[in-house]
Amino acid sequence: MVKICCIGAGYVGGPTMAVIALKCPSIEVAVVDISISRIAAWNSEVLPIYEPGLDDVVKQCRGKNLFFSTDVEKHVFEADIVFVSVNTPTKTQGLGAGKAADLTYWESAARMIADVSKSDKIVVEKSTVPVKTAEAIEKILTHNSKGIKFQILSNPEFLAEGTAIRDLFNPDRVLIGGRETPEGLKAVETLKSVYAQWVPEEQILTTNLWSAELSKLAANAFLAQRISSVNAMSALCEATGANVQQVSFAVGTDSRIGPKFLNASVGFGGSCFQKDILNLVYICECNGLPEVAEYWKQVIKINDYQKSRFVNRVVASMFNTVSNKKIAILGFAFKKDTGDTRETPAIDVCQGLLGDKANLSIFDPQVTEDQIQRDLSMNKFDWDHPIHLQPTSPTTVKKVSVVWDAYEATKDAHGICILTEWDEFKNLDYQRIYENMQKPAFVFDGRNIVDAEKLREIGFIVYSIGKPLDAWLKDMPAVA
Ligand code: NAI
């Protein structure tokens, strides 16, 4: 029986390995992690991450050919293929701080693999890493190998949180990069045969190592760039009276551009886009390409601009101060159908409003109070480290309360900010909400999900990103 071990039981390692176990009953899959609490959760009824369809997949294979364990060394020792799906945060100190990827966790995983291995292995980069990382990993492994042969493959993951299981069942493509030597090509074929159990062969792309590593960074940069492009347009729409939804529909009907990923919003979030672009920027700089670096930096600058523009709109609309006003925050996750809050725009928006002394009442159907308090008190980039290395008792932000109901959050509020596009926010009883709010009552829709006209009929002053402005908002222009 082929044995696979995956180091890192996170948003990527957990779901990808569960799907491999489901689709390949003849393979034994062990997912290992240094975080005891995470592994305990994977072995419990309440999985550590929320992802539609994941529970079902895990229940079908756990204990049969899918195992979660903290015994990292034992499972690495036994495995034929070792996936590495550990954190690759942005460095906060030293060379490349604020941009470069911190490969501490990756390097320690590689050294441990070299230490415990007694048989040849294929080592697969699943984490998103800077181009050329495989070369460094190869060096660590071969210099410590005691005669054992390792083949390094790059197999970046393209799943999107919220649709991870669907994406893993039907990926647009699987990408495998390897050395173009006979041993490298053989390793690529071995990994290909795993995915070929459910992915059509023509969708399994094989490339050299560096193309695979760079393709992942490029794909995330292109995706984030689309969002920043439409968000840049949204600011111009507000200034001119155009409607960003009409503009993006018209643009997206061009088959060369396509309709997906063209929704204006308060900004992109998630653990990957910003981190991977910063990493790309750093690699460009290191390769003497400052113009290319500047080009990609703009994608992040526009994203930051969009978040501060939103905060400014809120504050400007409410007579230039939100001091001691209750603002309801609906949605904290970085997108719907996930409880993930890493780099969520809600953090920056909330911090912006707190900076203007607002009182926040936050509701998200999937995010706990503890998580929200951690996010609002943690330093930038600290979130992307294994849980047990993060501060355990963050200071509570006093002006923030976290509630478990949208009606509770909005009661007596002056304004509502919708920051995540949860479906349930579309169908709230806005009449009831309006009656229980201070007047004038504002809705700032950071995701363009509410029916603004209906809300205006009820009496709300409504701001929808990139849409023609209410007279009230026009009279109170927000300076970005
Ligand atoms: P995560 O933080 O959810 O999971 C990483 C796990 O690795 C943690 O549970 C941590 O405890 C564990 N870990 C760290 N060092 C370890 C070690 N030495 N031994 C054993 N376990 C260790 O991170 P996530 O989101 O799964 O991301 C992992 C990688 O995949 C990152 O490089 C990320 O950029 C990439 N990625 C993430 C995607 C996403 O949507 N979250 C999508 C595609 C790629």
Side-chain angles (χ1 to χ4, degrees):
M1 196 182 214
V2 173
K3 287 194 174 180
I4 287 180
C5 171
C6 176
I7 306 176
Y11 285 85
V12 170
T16 45
M17 292 303 124
V19 169
I20 289 182
L22 182 76
K23 298 291 186 181
C24 310
S26 64
I27 295 179
E28 190 180 299
V29 182
V31 190
V32 297
D33 204 293
I34 42 176
S35 162
I36 295 168
S37 61
R38 222 170 200 183
I39 290 299
W42 279 111
N43 282 320
S44 77
E45 286 305 298
V46 186
L47 301 183
I49 61 177
Y50 171 70
E51 192 61 63
L54 178 63
D55 273 33
D56 249 20
V57 176
V58 170
K59 274 187 192 134
Q60 284 183 63
C61 338
R62 196 172 53 190
K64 290 184 191 144
N65 66 331
L66 175 66
F67 302 92
F68 296 93
S69 166
T70 49
D71 199 344
V72 179
E73 298 189 355
K74 168 180 176 273
H75 289 284
V76 169
F77 169 81
E78 289 176 354
D80 306 293
I81 305 175
V82 181
F83 285 82
V84 184
S85 185
V86 298
N87 321 60
T88 49
T90 303
K91 274 184 88 170
T92 48
Q93 286 181 351
L95 192 65
K99 281 183 280 196
D102 178 350
L103 294 177
T104 311
Y105 303 112
W106 229 115
E107 186 174 334
S108 92
R111 288 182 185 278
M112 183 270 301
I113 296 171
D115 268 3
V116 305
S117 294
K118 297 270 182 300
S119 57
D120 295 353
K121 293 191 194 313
I122 296 174
V123 177
V124 185
E125 289 178 345
K126 198 57 158 163
S127 303
T128 305
V129 290
V131 59
K132 291 281 184 185
T133 298
E135 201 166 69
I137 301 300
E138 230 167 34
K139 283 187 183 138
I140 293 171
L141 290 172
T142 47
H143 280 86
N144 296 283
S145 72
K146 297 162 284 191
I148 289 156
K149 293 205 173 55
F150 294 101
Q151 278 302 318
I152 320 292
L153 300 179
S154 164
N155 171 221
E157 185 48 60
F158 293 100
L159 68 80
E161 284 177 31
T163 54
I165 297 301
R166 199 173 74 202
D167 297 343
L168 288 164
F169 279 5
N170 291 304
D172 289 339
R173 77 304 209 188
V174 167
L175 180 59
I176 304 173
R179 285 278 185 200
E180 287 156 314
T181 56
E183 298 79 14
L185 295 171
K186 191 167 160 233
V188 169
E189 281 311 309
T190 304
L191 185 56
K192 196 173 165 183
S193 68
V194 173
Y195 286 105
Q197 311 252 351
W198 80 98
V199 181
E201 292 241 1
E202 61 278 12
Q203 279 161 248
I204 306 178
L205 315 181
T206 55
T207 64
N208 73 27
L209 271 172
W210 325 129
S211 303
E213 288 179 335
L214 187 55
S215 298
K216 173 63 191 176
L217 295 180
N220 273 355
F222 276 48
L223 287 168
Q225 180 205 42
R226 257 174 102 91
I227 299 179
S228 279
S229 297
V230 73
N231 281 344
M233 281 300 155
S234 75
L236 191 54
C237 286
E238 287 168 32
T240 57
N243 178 328
V244 75
Q245 277 179 330
Q246 294 172 349
V247 173
S248 54
F249 181 75
V251 169
T253 45
D254 186 323
S255 60
R256 292 168 301 177
I257 296 173
K260 291 187 184 161
F261 239 63
L262 283 179
N263 286 331
S265 71
V266 60
F268 61 72
S271 67
C272 296
F273 283 175
Q274 172 163 306
K275 162 172 84 76
D276 294 350
I277 293 176
L278 287 171
N279 184 349
L280 187 67
V281 164
Y282 183 69
I283 296 167
C284 293
E285 287 170 352
C286 291
N287 281 283
L289 302 168
E291 289 80 1
V292 185
E294 266 314 304
Y295 174 76
W296 288 111
K297 248 189 226 168
Q298 282 301 323
V299 172
I300 293 177
K301 281 193 187 159
I302 286 289
N303 197 47
D304 289 339
Y305 166 73
Q306 190 74 348
K307 290 180 273 190
S308 60
R309 205 168 74 75
F310 186 86
V311 172
N312 292 351
R313 263 296 173 222
V314 176
V315 178
S317 311
M318 302 172 97
F319 315 102
N320 245 352
T321 177
V322 287
S323 181
N324 291 325
K325 289 179 186 164
K326 177 174 172 181
I327 310 282
I329 304 291
L330 298 188
F332 199 83
F334 84 94
K335 62 166 162 173
K336 75 171 181 178
D337 291 339
T338 175
D340 194 355
T341 59
R342 296 178 292 178
E343 287 294 339
T344 174
I347 296 176
D348 287 340
V349 170
C350 288
Q351 276 169 346
L353 294 171
L354 289 167
D356 221 285
K357 299 204 182 108
N359 296 328
L360 303 182
S361 183
I362 305 177
F363 166 64
D364 186 290
Q366 284 297 334
V367 186
T368 61
E369 172 165 13
D370 180 56
Q371 186 63 49
I372 291 173
Q373 288 288 0
R374 268 167 185 277
D375 288 336
L376 291 178
S377 52
M378 213 181 294
N379 290 331
K380 199 167 172 58
F381 302 130
D382 278 359
W383 51 266
D384 199 6
H385 291 269
I387 281 169
H388 63 287
L389 299 179
Q390 293 173 11
T392 43
S393 49
T395 44
T396 316
V397 183
K398 288 201 185 65
K399 288 173 86 69
V400 171
S401 65
V402 178
V403 296
W404 279 102
D405 174 53
Y407 297 101
E408 184 62 31
T410 53
K411 195 160 170 273
D412 289 325
H414 291 256
I416 302 172
C417 297
I418 300 175
L419 301 184
T420 312
E421 71 279 24
W422 286 104
D423 289 334
E424 65 184 77
F425 298 156
K426 293 181 190 164
N427 304 315
L428 293 170
D429 181 348
Y430 281 99
Q431 181 69 46
R432 174 177 158 200
I433 288 177
Y434 179 77
E435 281 157 16
N436 289 326
M437 283 177 69
Q438 306 280 340
K439 309 293 172 335
F442 297 85
V443 170
F444 302 92
D445 184 0
R447 298 286 179 171
N448 284 343
I449 56 163
V450 296
D451 182 339
E453 279 321 308
K454 257 199 196 148
L455 263 58
R456 287 189 182 110
E457 277 165 28
I458 293 173
F460 283 104
I461 295 161
V462 185
Y463 167 66
S464 308
I465 287 197
K467 304 260 190 89
L469 296 174
D470 279 13
W472 181 290
L473 298 162
K474 265 196 207 144
D475 292 344
M476 299 204 176
V479 183

